[in-house]
Amino acid sequence: MDSPFADAGFPDPALIINYPTALRFVRFRLNRMPHGQMKPWATAQRFNYARLVEIKKDERQLYAPLLKRLLAAFGYSVDVLRLISMTDEKRHFYWFATPEEHALFCQELRAYDALVVQASQ
């Protein structure tokens, strides 16, 4: 297997984000598209437009593989980790292939969060 994830064995916790963080980022990127551009983009990227609209509104962890595809469409190579807690609750996490990608992701998310804070003042 020719994947940056295969050689690592156990993931570096510094390169992992949780599902809510990935969802917040994807929503930011989808909402950042100019009005009327998400549908053509979804078609060009081979995404279901209605499913993308659902992602913008829904908090449930139903979209783990789809978020992985969306992150890839936005230029981030991630792998999905599914961990099951002692209470059999499933949690999804996203493991970045490189520290550089993780740093770029964090930088972009911080910029978005700063805009949200600025807009709320």
Side-chain angles (χ1 to χ4, degrees), residues 69-81:
R69 283 188 56 219
L70 283 162
L71 287 168
F74 296 136
Y76 296 101
S77 178
V78 297
D79 202 15
V80 178
L81 300 173

Side-chain angles (χ1 to χ4, degrees), residues 8-75:
F10 194 78
D12 179 355
L15 300 180
I16 295 174
I17 60 168
N18 62 16
Y19 182 90
T21 301
L23 182 60
R24 191 172 87 226
F25 179 84
V26 165
R27 285 179 174 163
F28 156 61
R29 292 294 299 261
L30 292 175
N31 285 320
R32 197 170 93 175
M33 291 182 188
H35 181 72
Q37 293 302 308
M38 190 168 80
K39 193 168 194 172
W41 181 84
T43 302
Q45 296 291 325
R46 304 184 71 170
F47 286 108
N48 180 314
Y49 173 73
R51 185 61 54 136
L52 297 184
V53 171
E54 284 177 22
I55 284 176
K56 290 172 61 173
K57 298 177 182 181
D58 198 351
E59 295 290 334
R60 294 174 293 168
Q61 292 199 27
L62 300 175
Y63 309 109
L66 183 54
L67 287 186
K68 177 184 175 181
R69 283 188 56 219
L70 283 162
L71 287 168
F74 296 136

Side-chain angles (χ1 to χ4, degrees), residues 74-91:
F74 296 136
Y76 296 101
S77 178
V78 297
D79 202 15
V80 178
L81 300 173
R82 185 178 75 173
L83 303 176
I84 301 173
S85 71
M86 300 296 276
T87 60
D88 289 334
E89 191 173 351
K90 296 174 186 155
R91 301 269 184 203

